[in-house]
Amino acid sequence: MLTIKRGGKMKRFLILMMMVLLTFSVFTEGQQEEEKPIIFAIVNDYPAAKVHDADFEGWLYADRIVAPFTEATGIEVTIRKYTDATDNTAKSLDMDLASGDSSDVILSYGGRVNKFANADFGVNLYEALPQEFIDQFAPSALKQFERNGELFTLPMPGWATCMMVNVDLFEEAGVTDILPADDDPDRSWTIAEFDRAVKAVTALGDEYYGYYLIAKECGGDYWIMNMLGGFGAKLYEDGKVALNCPAGIEGMEYIHYLHENGYVPYGASGLFDGDMASLYFTGKLGTRGYVPMGADAGEISFKDGKNDKPFKSILMEYPHIEGVVDGVPPCYGPDATMVIDNGDPVRLAKALKFIEWLAGADSQSVIAKSFAKFSPLTTVITEREPGPIGTAKAQMAQIIKGRGIYDMGVGFPVYNELRQIWLAVFQGMLTNAITPKEAVEEFERRGNKLLSE
Amino acid sequence: MAINFFQSKKTKDYIIGLALIAPALVIFILFTAIPTIQGITLAFFKANARVSRYVGFKNFIYLINDDIFWKAMWNTIKYVGFSVPIMVSLPFYVALIAHDMPKKIQSFIRFAFYVPLISAGMIISIVWNWIFSPQYGLLNYIIGLIGLGPIVWTGTIPAAFFSVCIVLITSSMGLNLILYMSGLSSIDRQLYDAAELDGCDNKQKAIYITVPLMLPIIAFVTITQTIGVMMIWQIIYVLTSGGPYFATVSLVYQIYIRAFQSSKYGLAAAESIIVLIIVLTLALIQKKVLVDRE
């Protein structure tokens, strides 16, 4: 017969353990739950608090958006900051959503957030938000994010792409007649003019190139899509890949021709955005894809090891086919925000109030100005600052107003996978593993398969 | 007579032993056993960050019909086939040469080859990315001095594969070299002396003494390096992102992309099971061939 001796050590140990567990549970579970603030998750907050707003000190989201909201409504908001990889890996967002303490509102690049834009995570904002609020958005911006007539995410200020031109190199190459005057609002040019300029600049010497291609990572696809847009090719239409058409094939063949004939540095599949930037800033590149945010408009200064040789850099649209296309809509990569339904109606109501504030005109103006992005709200006009950066941003805003935006498929839940497929087939074309036509066909096949899953 | 169970010596020893291994056991259960079981069950679900829906074998069927999965499989086999023989033999050769050198040089060689081991895999890959840079990389600078290149190391199809292999081989040299040098130190010198007296040259000594006595270490290195190469993903993630045109994509890299980029956890788990089966099979075969035959 088994017995536990009275007063034995094991008995005392067990009693002690029970007391410890009881005490622990009293201090954690036994307390009355206080009302927690709603949680606002920002992924990849760009440290731009001072870049474009010289009189602002501090952290933009905390001081210019959350604090005024709390003051106006009494609703407390806690900010959670995440950093994710440039390949749009969203594991931190996944972990946040899978945890028992998920955020209530998320803000990040559209390609990350739209992966969660469905009823598993969010609420239909067409039903949850006032119609007059929804009506502020440009219809084309909302259409990108719509799913079967429902809207789970709202577009926020985003990047828009264009081209930068080294005017000094164009002058040296004798092709400045192509360029418009600095204050001319028409920044368009044709493929024929672009081609002439690229050849002339490349002819300046072995170290000079007219244009640049990057295809080491999926981040270079904006520049490529803008070039294809100049041929009238669309990437997506009605929820399917639309690139497999004469315009798309012609655009790809032109890019292939630039690569094969040395007008761009060879081996684009191994080159980054940083490689392109460094060649441009050392004055050896005639044109490059660009997002007007930084100090690369106007007079660019650089040191070549011997002396300062500043050059003039101006903004242009991507070139277009004459007679077929009037101009090129800039590729647009919006951020997105959404409300997460955590099963608590009180928190949900607060989160919806916050998202109205966050995606409203006042907040979007602040965000757009600080991060040099362009707002999807028709009522928000990107502020113009003095100097060349302001000029570039104003010109960009005009281009968006006139041309609309090029749908990059940011609204698709499989956007990141589509980008990876695009990168692979584009690399296949550049390495001559497949022809431009085969590349487009393969992208259509793989892309539509993904989109139909 | 009542048996005082908790005060018997056997029970006390048992409880003390359990208490001593309890931390490691808890960690193993929490962070290895449970996730493994969960991973296996996840393979039969379509799962995102919040919701899981049972789909049976659909994930496995999807993978079998996915040409990128087979491409990754083939690339992984190529990585193993090309890299593992070099990873096994090259450090052995270096160890043989270093073994006859003075102690101070041996120490330096051990240190020099071991340094990459203490660095994180990602850091090594990032540094190699700079070395391989087509415009500013050290490698193209060096070959440029002798009139060659430039080569787009990670941006052209055959070169990208070999670039990944170069990083694989160089980053594994350290550990294998240390193992081999330790093994060589443990061989009784009298065997070599006796062989010399019998008229053996260096080659015969290596074939008939060194290699047979080093076989357990060679077997261990072969098995561990095979498993390690099958698990390759960090180098690919940094150097090539699986490109160009899927030329360097591997099975585990695909698992990472499916799980953390696409949030397709069920599919990633299914692919993980396939990799587990392959690795286990390979390891068992190698053990049978290299170890059990002794």
Side-chain angles (χ1 to χ4, degrees):
Chain A
M1 192 171 74
L2 301 173
T3 58
I4 297 177
K5 219 171 158 179
R6 183 177 276 204
K9 286 180 189 168
M10 182 55 70
K11 185 178 175 183
R12 282 194 284 242
F13 175 74
L14 284 170
I15 291 168
L16 182 64
M17 282 305 299
M18 279 171 58
M19 284 177 64
V20 165
L21 282 169
L22 199 62
T23 312
F24 182 72
S25 65
V26 164
F27 275 101
T28 54
E29 300 297 320
Q31 285 175 332
Q32 276 207 339
E33 277 213 22
E34 290 173 8
E35 209 168 281
K36 285 192 234 176
I38 60 169
I39 301 167
F40 171 34
I42 306 172
V43 184
N44 274 8
D45 175 29
Y46 305 98
K50 286 187 193 178
V51 171
H52 300 291
D53 196 351
D55 60 354
F56 172 63
E57 296 278 337
W59 185 18
L60 181 94
Y61 286 105
D63 300 329
R64 298 284 289 272
I65 293 173
V66 168
F69 171 75
T70 302
E71 203 180 309
T73 62
I75 298 172
E76 294 287 333
V77 179
T78 301
I79 297 179
R80 264 186 203 165
K81 207 171 158 196
Y82 295 99
T83 305
D84 260 333
T86 54
D87 66 350
N88 297 319
T89 315
K91 55 186 178 294
S92 59
L93 271 184
D94 282 46
M95 287 191 288
D96 180 290
L97 293 167
S99 75
D101 184 26
S102 162
S103 304
D104 299 286
V105 175
I106 290 172
L107 171 67
S108 184
Y109 175 55
R112 281 193 206 93
V113 180
N114 281 312
K115 201 163 56 168
F116 308 105
N118 55 59
D120 286 347
F121 300 95
V123 291
N124 183 5
L125 297 172
Y126 278 151
E127 289 173 0
L129 293 174
Q131 188 59 45
E132 54 268 23
F133 174 78
I134 298 288
D135 288 342
Q136 291 180 92
F137 288 84
S140 59
L142 285 183
K143 197 169 178 340
Q144 270 193 69
F145 285 16
E146 237 181 58
R147 305 273 170 82
N148 301 319
E150 291 178 312
L151 186 75
F152 292 96
T153 55
L154 290 172
M156 293 289 284
W159 310 111
T161 55
C162 57
M163 209 175 244
M164 290 310 284
V165 169
N166 181 334
V167 178
D168 290 25
L169 266 187
F170 270 46
E171 204 172 304
E172 211 174 313
V175 286
T176 44
D177 57 298
I178 295 168
L179 301 174
D182 289 356
D183 57 357
D184 187 345
D186 183 4
R187 314 306 296 174
S188 68
W189 51 339
T190 64
I191 291 280
E193 288 171 327
F194 170 77
D195 194 70
R196 187 179 137 225
V198 157
K199 283 174 176 161
V201 169
T202 307
L204 288 173
D206 282 346
E207 54 188 8
Y208 294 96
Y209 294 96
Y211 184 56
Y212 207 101
L213 284 172
I214 50 174
K216 174 108 187 229
E217 53 189 6
C218 56
D221 55 355
Y222 278 70
W223 323 125
I224 301 155
M225 297 312 169
N226 244 150
M227 187 66 81
L228 295 175
F231 286 82
K234 276 188 189 178
L235 197 53
Y236 304 106
E237 194 159 33
D238 298 327
K240 287 192 175 161
V241 174
L243 195 61
N244 188 8
C245 60
I249 295 167
E250 193 183 354
M252 290 286 273
E253 282 171 349
Y254 182 69
I255 293 172
H256 188 248
Y257 144 86
L258 287 175
H259 189 250
E260 290 299 295
N261 289 282
Y263 301 124
V264 301
Y266 185 71
S269 300
L271 299 171
F272 287 108
D273 191 77
D275 297 317
M276 172 170 71
S278 59
L279 199 68
Y280 189 75
F281 289 128
T282 49
K284 305 248 182 347
L285 186 61
T287 65
R288 66 171 279 220
Y290 176 61
V291 168
M293 67 169 291
D296 40 355
E299 287 292 310
I300 309 294
S301 295
F302 67 97
K303 288 190 186 328
D304 67 350
K306 291 177 190 167
N307 54 9
D308 244 327
K309 276 206 275 186
F311 64 90
K312 189 175 167 188
S313 182
I314 62 169
L315 181 148
M316 296 287 285
E317 285 183 31
Y318 260 77
H320 65 272
I321 289 281
E322 192 163 22
V324 174
V325 176
D326 290 331
V328 188
C331 287
Y332 184 66
D335 282 351
T337 183
M338 71 179 292
V339 164
I340 301 296
D341 185 359
N342 287 309
D344 181 342
V346 172
R347 293 180 70 81
L348 183 62
K350 290 179 183 176
L352 284 167
K353 275 205 164 68
F354 180 67
I355 205 174
E356 253 189 271
W357 181 276
L358 175 67
D362 291 341
S363 299
Q364 289 218 24
S365 292
V366 164
I367 294 167
K369 184 185 172 190
S370 291
F371 298 124
K373 292 185 178 181
F374 300 89
S375 172
L377 295 183
T378 54
T379 51
V380 173
I381 298 164
T382 304
E383 278 186 44
R384 182 182 176 147
E385 304 136 48
I389 299 170
T391 305
K393 282 161 70 176
Q395 288 168 341
M396 191 73 241
Q398 275 296 110
I399 294 170
I400 293 171
K401 198 176 168 188
R403 308 270 183 237
I405 54 168
Y406 191 92
D407 186 359
M408 290 290 294
V410 174
F412 291 133
V414 292
Y415 168 70
N416 290 321
E417 291 162 86
L418 286 166
R419 273 186 117 181
Q420 291 294 325
I421 289 171
W422 164 257
L423 179 67
V425 300
F426 190 66
Q427 288 172 341
M429 182 189 82
L430 293 175
T431 53
N432 292 318
I434 48 178
T435 65
K437 187 169 184 293
E438 285 167 345
V440 163
E441 284 168 356
E442 187 168 344
F443 180 60
E444 183 189 46
R445 178 174 55 82
R446 291 186 189 278
N448 284 338
K449 182 177 174 246
L450 251 186
L451 287 164
S452 64
E453 281 171 9
Chain B
M1 191 185 317
I3 300 166
N4 194 324
F5 178 75
F6 287 100
Q7 287 207 337
S8 75
K9 189 181 184 308
K10 202 174 172 185
T11 310
K12 272 187 187 170
D13 287 344
Y14 177 76
I15 291 172
I16 288 167
L18 203 62
L20 285 170
I21 66 164
L25 193 61
V26 166
I27 289 169
F28 173 78
I29 291 169
L30 279 179
F31 297 111
T32 305
I34 291 176
T36 302
I37 294 164
Q38 281 185 325
I40 291 170
T41 52
L42 191 60
F44 299 94
F45 287 80
K46 185 174 180 178
N48 59 32
R50 263 195 178 177
V51 175
S52 301
R53 295 178 185 92
Y54 179 73
V55 291
F57 284 90
K58 277 193 178 155
N59 288 330
F60 293 96
I61 295 168
Y62 181 94
L63 287 170
I64 288 166
N65 290 322
D66 181 14
D67 63 327
I68 300 176
F69 169 74
W70 292 107
K71 183 81 182 151
M73 176 85 77
W74 176 234
N75 284 344
T76 307
I77 292 169
K78 282 197 296 181
Y79 285 130
V80 171
F82 181 80
S83 304
V84 170
I86 300 174
M87 288 158 97
V88 171
S89 58
L90 184 60
F92 185 67
Y93 185 66
V94 173
L96 278 175
I97 296 170
H99 187 61
D100 291 331
M101 289 182 174
K103 290 280 179 211
K104 277 191 178 168
I105 296 177
Q106 281 191 36
S107 298
F108 172 74
I109 290 172
R110 275 201 196 93
F111 168 75
F113 279 98
Y114 197 72
V115 164
L117 268 182
I118 59 174
S119 309
M122 278 286 184
I123 306 294
I124 294 171
S125 304
I126 289 168
V127 170
W128 273 104
N129 218 6
W130 293 334
I131 294 171
F132 284 136
S133 169
Q135 287 195 334
Y136 309 109
L138 182 65
L139 214 47
N140 273 348
Y141 173 75
I142 290 170
I143 64 173
L145 291 173
I146 53 173
L148 295 172
I151 298 173
V152 186
W153 294 97
T154 57
T156 49
I157 285 177
F161 173 81
F162 290 113
S163 300
V164 172
C165 291
I166 288 170
V167 180
L168 253 178
I169 290 164
T170 50
S171 56
S172 72
M173 277 283 289
L175 180 63
N176 299 337
L177 183 71
I178 302 283
L179 287 169
Y180 285 139
M181 286 180 83
S182 304
L184 288 171
S185 305
S186 67
I187 296 176
D188 191 348
R189 283 225 67 91
Q190 287 180 0
L191 292 171
Y192 292 112
D193 295 337
E196 240 181 85
L197 286 170
D198 287 339
C200 285
D201 58 22
N202 284 338
K203 188 178 165 186
Q204 285 170 318
K205 278 190 240 175
I207 294 170
Y208 294 111
I209 300 175
T210 310
V211 171
L213 289 174
M214 289 287 285
L215 206 54
I217 297 178
I218 294 171
F220 173 78
V221 168
T222 305
I223 294 170
T224 53
Q225 294 308 304
T226 302
I227 294 170
V229 172
M230 291 244 14
M231 297 291 124
I232 180 181
W233 78 271
Q234 281 179 325
I235 297 169
I236 296 167
Y237 179 81
V238 174
L239 282 185
T240 63
S241 302
Y245 193 48
F246 311 115
T248 56
V249 67
S250 72
L251 284 170
V252 177
Y253 176 78
Q254 274 295 97
I255 292 169
Y256 175 85
I257 293 297
R258 288 193 209 278
F260 299 114
Q261 204 175 77
S262 311
S263 294
K264 289 177 177 170
Y265 296 106
L267 207 51
E271 196 162 357
S272 302
I273 290 175
I274 294 173
V275 171
L276 174 68
I277 292 168
I278 294 170
V279 168
L280 267 175
T281 308
L282 268 177
L284 285 168
I285 292 170
Q286 284 178 329
K287 182 179 175 292
K288 191 97 180 144
V289 168
L290 294 170
V291 179
D292 292 349
R293 64 188 276 192
E294 290 176 47

